Amino acid sequence: MKKLITFIMLLIAITTISCSSNKTTKNNTIINDSINSSTKVEGDSTLYGLACEGCTDSVLIFLSFDGGDPVTYDIIDAVQKHKILGRMTTGDWIAVVLNPIDSTVADEVINLDQLKGNWVYKAMPEPRNGIKKELSSKNIEENIDSIIQSRMKPNEQGFAIKRNNVAEPIGKKYSNQDNNPVVYPEIKSYTEWRIYNGLLLLSQKKVVRQGKKVSTVIESDTAEIKFLRKDSLSLKFKNGTQGYYRKD
């Protein structure tokens, strides 16, 4: 009874959320005021709801936030293709992508409750281009390689995924100015996230100035979720795959 009351209250809260105006572009940039996984954006077929009691390695019992009775989906192929991302337990918040031909089959299931959290990796810097030549020209007596090696320290960086589609950057920002002998990878200033047809969109707001006109654009990095467990996450971006571990 407590679970039923909780779910009814959740549905009431969802229906009170007003939809914002959203636009999508060909390069996966989403322009809007707020990204919310409880509302649809144009072209997104993802279903959102709760995992119900009775889920197994072959079927998913799903209760949609759109209302209605629980629905059973076949997930045998999704299990074999490693498209069940996160371990499902009763009451978990999940995202479901259905098969475009057979609506009784779920092609992908993502445990959004398990996706939430702080995800980081240890980023190593690289020597700045031309630094050895520059240090030599300044007649520095110490060993140049030792100077660079002393700065080669990992930076724990990544992002946090929170409720209400809030994202935050994690990690110490180092200066990559010319006087720094090493350069660290950029820490993306993600502020929002969402699932879009089974893909993870991590977004950051940028101010665009065209003459006197100033506008805010939300630019999204699109990633395929390759692996998700309690303490591990693997994302495939257009430039390669990055692994993360959970940081409490």
Side-chain angles (χ1 to χ4, degrees), residues 104-143:
T104 66
V105 175
D107 282 346
E108 183 175 14
V109 182
I110 306 169
N111 190 325
L112 300 181
D113 274 331
Q114 206 163 89
L115 183 62
K116 290 182 302 180
N118 301 325
W119 297 104
V120 298
Y121 71 100
K122 292 184 178 180
M124 289 297 297
E126 295 182 353
R128 182 166 57 82
N129 290 336
I131 187 62
K132 289 188 176 182
K133 182 177 180 180
E134 181 179 327
L135 292 176
S136 297
S137 66
K138 292 181 180 180
N139 297 320
I140 295 179
E141 296 180 358
E142 294 89 351
N143 185 284

Side-chain angles (χ1 to χ4, degrees), residues 5 7 12 19 21 26-27 30 35 37-38 40 48 52 66 68 91-92 98 109 126 140 160 176 193 205 218 227:
I5 294 174
F7 177 68
I12 294 173
C19 299
S21 175
K26 292 182 179 179
N27 60 358
I30 293 181
I35 295 178
S37 284
S38 297
K40 295 285 187 179
Y48 301 95
C52 298
D66 292 335
D92 284 347
L98 297 183
V109 182
E126 295 182 353
I140 295 179
N176 286 337
W193 69 275
K205 294 182 179 180
I218 296 181
F227 183 83

Side-chain angles (χ1 to χ4, degrees), residues 22 28 41 105 121 151 181 183 203 212 221 226 234 245:
N22 302 288
N28 289 329
V41 295
V105 175
Y121 71 100
R151 302 293 183 94
V183 179
S203 306
K212 295 183 178 180
D221 288 334
K226 301 296 291 184
S234 178
Y245 59 90

Side-chain angles (χ1 to χ4, degrees), residues 41-175:
V41 295
E42 184 180 354
D44 183 22
S45 60
T46 308
L47 303 179
Y48 301 95
L50 303 176
C52 298
E53 186 175 359
C55 294
T56 68
D57 288 339
S58 59
V59 297
L60 169 72
I61 313 298
F62 176 73
L63 184 60
S64 173
F65 285 159
D66 292 335
D69 296 326
V71 179
T72 300
Y73 293 117
D74 183 331
I75 58 171
I76 294 176
D77 286 345
V79 170
Q80 293 176 346
K81 294 177 181 178
H82 306 290
K83 286 296 185 178
I84 304 299
L85 301 163
R87 298 189 183 280
M88 307 298 156
T89 58
T90 301
D92 284 347
W93 175 35
I94 61 176
V96 178
V97 179
L98 297 183
N99 185 284
I101 298 175
D102 188 348
S103 61
T104 66
V105 175
D107 282 346
E108 183 175 14
V109 182
I110 306 169
N111 190 325
L112 300 181
D113 274 331
Q114 206 163 89
L115 183 62
K116 290 182 302 180
N118 301 325
W119 297 104
V120 298
Y121 71 100
K122 292 184 178 180
M124 289 297 297
E126 295 182 353
R128 182 166 57 82
N129 290 336
I131 187 62
K132 289 188 176 182
K133 182 177 180 180
E134 181 179 327
L135 292 176
S136 297
S137 66
K138 292 181 180 180
N139 297 320
I140 295 179
E141 296 180 358
E142 294 89 351
N143 185 284
I144 296 175
D145 289 332
S146 295
I147 295 174
I148 296 175
Q149 192 63 36
S150 67
R151 302 293 183 94
M152 298 290 286
K153 298 179 180 180
N155 182 31
E156 196 175 52
Q157 63 186 55
F159 53 86
I161 292 181
K162 300 186 175 184
R163 283 192 175 275
N164 300 318
N165 300 101
V166 173
E168 293 179 354
I170 296 176
K172 180 179 178 180
K173 291 188 176 182
Y174 289 88
S175 171

